[in-house]
Amino acid sequence: MNIPAGTLGLIANPRYDWMYSFDANDQAGHRDIFCPRGRVLGGSSAINGSIYIRGARSDYDRWASLGNTGWGYRDVLPYFTRHENFEGDSSPWHGVGGELNVTRLRSPHRVSNAFVAAALEAGHRFNDDFNGATQAGFGHYHVTQRHGERMSSSRSFLHPVLSRPNLTIVTDALVERILFQNRTATGIEFVHDRVKHVFNARREIVLSAGTIGSPQLLMLSGIGPAQHLSDLGIRTVHALPGVGYNLHDHQDILMAFDSPRSDLFGLSIRALPWLAASPFSYYLDRKGPWTSNTVEAGGFFKSSASQIEPDLQLIIRPLLGNQPKSRIPRGHGFSVHISLMRPASRGRLLLRSADPADKPLLQSNFLSGGDDARRLSLGIAEVRRIVSMPAMSAFRGDEIEPGKHRQSEDALSDYVHSHVATTFHPVGTCKMGTDAMAVVNPDLRVCGIDGLRVADASIMPAITSGNTNAPSIMIGEKCAALILG
């Protein structure tokens, strides 16, 4: 699990992945959309692409403008730098000496370098640090690695303190509900080895089950929309209508290109020599293809001049990403993900039943709001322009997806609606705020409940720009500070 390229064998593997899906909707081709979530210590940070992106300054200032005092960019930056150990030049934007190692890729693939060069040829600016002064531009992503190994939140923060006497870890356990006395959280009930157990809280409980697990557990415990709970026979402890609402994600469109180059990740007879040499490069020198997170480079840009700030993110992969059932794709090519940073579409999470073992219903409502589909179509056009630049000529083959036959506005719109997916960044189902639909207040306390906080991506009132692992860790860091006062 610590080999970065090993993410290809972790996602869609039931041993490590909860294997959730967004349910089909009219705007997204009437099909279920895969939504992986980590089923291991460290959660999704143990199976993700290890990209370290904090988001734009305006993301957090927007949170603060919604009434979330203490969550503006200047407020949260110290919590990012506090736990960071940045392996790079000294910078006011980065910290040194923290638990989480942030660095650059050791052996980025040549196609990633070429893609960045092509973006510059297309007129985009170079950005050497997406977590610095500005997010706009193209370059290589920082990653949560150390010595060529994945550094999940578990390896970074938990493993070094396993010997602490005040820490107990129980794995392979299913938390079924939070226990209450009136409106005060007093403990949790969970099943381990088919036996029910109770842990009682002396002061308070912090719920960090993620965007899917946290609202699910609140509702199973009687905290949520009263009618929904009543319909399932769950006694309402406290009616909180916002639980499960505001579900959203970076909607994603994948483009795939064939390539004549056999050094791109994939299975073929021509690739056997470098595939055979890869383990030796990794174990002897911690370099080579195995150190790749397979999502190495890209950038942020505006879909149109009318946008105030970048609203699309591109991520290039040195492999064909249109073969979801293959751990390692057959044949050679590269893929580009187009991710929508500020989606208007909002969905909802609902319980299917009162059984904690039942996966909840995830209604994505992708492409149902604003001009989400149009902006993704504009992203396709920009990728085509970048890939057509001279810097990509050695890697460029035929466009497999969407394909050259899809050129008109209607054809691209049809492709977007029939192929939209998720960038695996669901957020928002326990929204932080001060309005009637808020689930937690700016201190991350569950509204109307004593002794219970939520600290994970579910509290985001609006999704951050870019990969959500770094902001989620920051939320945990800030929660710890709030608890300590």
Side-chain angles (χ1 to χ4, degrees):
M1 289 180 65
N2 300 330
I3 298 173
T7 187
L8 296 174
L10 300 175
I11 291 178
N13 185 334
R15 181 178 178 183
Y16 307 109
D17 187 346
W18 283 104
M19 305 287 289
Y20 293 114
S21 290
F22 290 110
D23 278 27
N25 72 70
D26 294 343
Q27 297 296 317
H30 303 280
R31 61 199 166 81
D32 291 347
I33 296 175
F34 181 49
C35 180
R37 297 285 85 195
R39 193 177 183 173
V40 290
L41 286 177
S44 296
S45 74
I47 69 170
N48 68 3
S50 305
I51 293 178
Y52 184 83
I53 292 284
R54 296 173 182 168
R57 174 190 297 264
S58 61
D59 295 333
Y60 303 100
D61 291 342
R62 188 175 296 113
W63 290 8
S65 73
L66 296 173
N68 297 300
T69 304
W71 289 88
Y73 179 75
R74 289 187 177 183
D75 301 310
V76 302
L77 180 60
Y79 296 103
F80 279 112
T81 59
R82 179 179 298 178
H83 59 249
E84 183 184 24
N85 183 51
F86 181 61
E87 293 184 346
D89 296 334
S90 178
S91 165
W93 314 108
H94 292 282
V96 177
E99 299 93 337
L100 184 68
N101 214 69
V102 178
T103 187
R104 303 178 191 279
L105 283 169
R106 290 188 154 205
S107 304
H109 197 283
R110 285 183 287 270
V111 74
S112 300
N113 301 335
F115 187 76
V116 173
L120 303 187
E121 290 177 340
H124 294 281
R125 56 161 289 179
F126 177 66
N127 193 336
D128 192 44
D129 184 357
F130 295 111
N131 301 302
T134 182
Q135 198 177 54
F138 281 71
H140 289 78
Y141 294 121
H142 291 159
V143 292
T144 50
Q145 292 184 12
R146 184 174 64 197
H147 305 313
E149 294 185 3
R150 170 197 293 276
M151 294 302 296
S152 67
S153 59
S154 176
R155 292 193 71 204
S156 300
F157 297 93
L158 190 59
H159 287 197
V161 298
L162 290 177
S163 61
R164 287 187 180 180
N166 61 345
L167 173 65
T168 299
I169 298 173
V170 180
T171 58
D172 296 314
L174 178 65
V175 179
E176 294 194 329
R177 63 189 179 114
I178 302 165
L179 305 176
F180 296 93
Q181 185 173 353
N182 298 321
R183 292 188 180 180
T184 298
T186 60
I188 61 167
E189 183 178 275
F190 66 97
V191 174
H192 183 242
D193 288 338
R194 300 183 181 181
V195 178
K196 286 197 176 187
H197 303 266
V198 171
F199 277 161
N200 293 312
R202 284 186 293 180
R203 296 186 63 179
E204 61 181 316
I205 296 166
V206 180
L207 178 56
S208 298
T211 295
I212 297 173
S214 287
Q216 179 187 22
L217 190 54
L218 286 177
M219 288 191 282
L220 288 169
S221 307
I223 309 293
Q227 187 60 56
H228 179 50
L229 300 183
S230 177
D231 291 344
L232 296 174
I234 298 173
R235 182 181 70 86
T236 300
V237 173
H238 178 52
L240 206 54
V243 176
Y245 279 88
N246 193 45
L247 174 63
H248 58 295
D249 198 338
H250 292 136
Q251 296 160 81
D252 180 272
I253 284 295
L254 180 73
M255 298 184 68
F257 298 83
D258 192 8
S259 176
R261 298 282 293 261
S262 60
D263 57 337
L264 289 158
F265 296 177
L267 296 176
S268 73
I269 294 177
R270 291 182 299 151
L272 288 179
W274 73 260
L275 284 172
S278 296
F280 298 97
S281 298
Y282 184 77
Y283 287 114
L284 293 176
D285 204 22
R286 285 295 191 269
K287 291 186 178 180
W290 283 22
T291 64
S292 173
N293 61 341
T294 74
V295 280
E296 300 180 346
F300 296 84
F301 67 101
K302 299 178 183 179
S303 62
S304 65
S306 63
Q307 296 295 323
I308 298 175
E309 52 198 337
D311 62 322
L312 291 177
Q313 178 186 10
L314 300 186
I315 304 174
I316 185 167
R317 308 188 70 191
L319 52 82
L320 288 170
N322 63 336
Q323 302 177 28
K325 294 183 180 180
S326 299
R327 298 286 168 81
I328 301 177
R330 297 185 179 276
H332 301 284
F334 61 91
S335 308
V336 182
H337 285 275
I338 307 166
S339 297
L340 186 62
M341 293 297 94
R342 293 177 182 81
S345 303
R346 291 293 186 272
R348 184 184 180 187
L349 179 148
L350 296 163
L351 297 181
R352 294 185 190 270
S353 75
D355 184 351
D358 275 357
K359 293 179 180 178
L361 173 67
L362 306 179
Q363 298 175 339
S364 72
N365 291 337
F366 284 169
L367 306 180
S368 64
D371 61 349
D372 289 356
R374 185 185 68 86
R375 288 188 285 157
L376 286 169
S377 294
L378 292 172
I380 293 175
E382 185 60 18
V383 171
R384 284 173 168 170
R385 195 171 73 89
I386 292 173
V387 171
S388 71
M389 293 293 143
M392 286 294 291
S393 60
F395 297 92
R396 187 173 56 239
D398 292 333
E399 180 184 308
I400 302 172
E401 298 286 357
K404 292 182 179 179
H405 61 285
R406 291 188 172 101
Q407 294 292 332
S408 69
E409 184 176 329
D410 287 344
L412 290 181
S413 178
D414 288 344
Y415 179 77
V416 167
H417 283 276
S418 61
H419 287 77
V420 67
T422 161
T423 319
F424 311 154
H425 301 156
V427 306
T429 49
C430 297
K431 185 183 78 166
M432 174 175 61
T434 57
D435 61 291
M437 294 299 286
V439 176
V440 300
N441 66 19
D443 285 338
L444 302 183
R445 299 181 187 274
V446 175
C447 300
I449 296 292
D450 292 328
L452 181 61
R453 303 190 205 229
V454 180
D456 52 42
S458 71
I459 67 97
M460 294 186 187
I463 197 166
T464 53
S465 303
N467 308 68
T468 51
N469 183 42
S472 298
I473 295 173
M474 178 277 292
I475 290 167
E477 184 80 54
K478 185 167 171 65
C479 182
L482 291 168
I483 292 171
L484 293 173

